[in-house]
Amino acid sequence: MITADPTQRSVAELVQDPSRAAGLLNAFPVSIWICDTAGDCVFANQTWQDFTGRSFASDLGTRWVDSIHPEDRESMVQAWREALGLRRPFSHNYRVRRADGMFAWVSDEGRPVYDGYGAFVGYIGTCGDITEQRMAELAAKEKEGEIRMLADNVPVLIAWFEAVDFRCIFANKAYAQTWGWTEETIVGRTVREVIGEAGYAEIAPYVDRVRRGESVTYERNIVDKAGARRVMEV
């Protein structure tokens, strides 16, 4: 005899008939949504309605897809279909259109729900407004792109290393290629890894001075990855 798990059964009953707890769900300060086994939206709470400025009837079934930004729609739908098909947790960030026509970024997360006997009954999830966070990230990325473009087009070697363990945070193309790396693969490497143990032993006294807060200038002879002998002023 199989005994149903009471907790799973309660959540499953909520997903199968959200109207039974609509008052409770509408009182939550986070956006909550529920989908059936086909992936169709069957409920969105009051917080979601307040956030989007739409009644949840506007998002029933697959209508919610229409509110996703055109640039995000394909990736979002694909991620959702994969999660639904495999009955696995879902997580995706995308832009959704509000009633005023403006788009806001949301972090959408959901999990599959099973009844007390293990039968799949749908999904329950939450949406959080991450517009400010996302806009800050995009602004930082744009700024990084501007810095990258500038750094890659000046005839000097530029690198930025952390102060604690001297791991590379940023290097322009000229610096990375001098030591046989790319701008991507050099990131996260220590100075020792980048220039080798012998090279590090040579510059160690200057590194120690920098650690103490001094600004230093020095020259050193190197052989780059192409085998060319060069004199560098650092």
Side-chain angles (χ1 to χ4, degrees):
M1 178 178 178
I2 300 175
T3 303
D5 184 312
T7 302
Q8 286 185 317
R9 183 176 61 197
S10 297
V11 177
E13 290 174 351
L14 172 63
V15 170
Q16 291 171 308
D17 185 10
S19 63
R20 296 178 56 184
L24 176 62
L25 295 173
N26 284 331
F28 274 81
V30 295
S31 298
I32 299 174
W33 54 266
I34 293 174
C35 284
D36 61 19
T37 56
D40 292 340
C41 178
V42 295
F43 179 82
N45 73 343
Q46 188 63 48
T47 303
W48 171 257
Q49 296 174 61
D50 293 341
F51 175 68
T52 61
R54 298 190 303 272
S55 68
F56 89 86
S58 301
D59 292 328
L60 283 176
T62 57
R63 296 179 199 169
W64 59 273
V65 174
D66 296 333
S67 68
I68 300 174
H69 194 288
E71 295 178 3
D72 304 333
R73 193 172 299 161
E74 183 177 353
S75 63
M76 164 60 187
V77 172
Q78 181 179 350
W80 170 237
R81 286 176 176 170
E82 288 178 357
L84 179 66
L86 296 173
R87 307 289 193 262
R88 68 184 183 192
F90 167 80
S91 180
H92 201 77
N93 297 341
Y94 58 94
R95 287 164 289 181
V96 63
R97 186 180 63 251
R98 303 180 65 157
D100 59 6
M102 302 296 289
F103 284 91
W105 281 95
V106 296
S107 176
D108 195 351
E109 297 186 1
R111 68 178 181 87
V113 177
Y114 299 86
D115 66 16
Y117 300 99
F120 174 63
V121 296
Y123 271 78
I124 185 168
T126 61
C127 274
D129 182 2
I130 59 168
T131 303
E132 290 187 10
Q133 172 189 333
R134 184 59 175 163
M135 294 307 292
E137 291 172 353
L138 292 174
K141 187 174 182 180
E142 182 179 356
K143 188 66 176 178
E144 180 182 351
E146 293 174 355
I147 294 172
R148 168 70 62 188
M149 183 174 64
L150 175 63
D152 284 343
N153 285 278
V154 293
V156 294
L157 278 59
I158 301 173
W160 177 14
F161 289 84
E162 291 179 343
V164 178
D165 55 7
F166 281 87
R167 290 188 180 276
C168 183
I169 298 174
F170 174 89
N172 71 346
K173 184 179 297 185
Y175 184 94
Q177 290 183 346
T178 295
W179 302 108
W181 305 88
T182 67
E183 304 97 289
E184 293 77 25
T185 58
I186 197 172
V187 172
R189 304 286 181 175
T190 64
V191 177
R192 291 176 184 271
E193 292 175 305
V194 172
I195 68 175
E197 288 294 338
Y200 186 80
E202 184 180 344
I203 71 169
Y206 303 108
V207 173
D208 290 340
R209 289 172 59 188
V210 171
R211 286 184 185 273
R212 292 195 296 270
E214 295 183 47
S215 294
V216 299
T217 301
Y218 58 91
E219 289 186 0
R220 61 183 298 247
N221 298 311
I222 70 164
V223 178
D224 64 22
K225 285 297 181 180
R229 293 185 177 277
R230 305 170 65 176
V231 178
M232 297 178 63
E233 181 183 63
V234 184

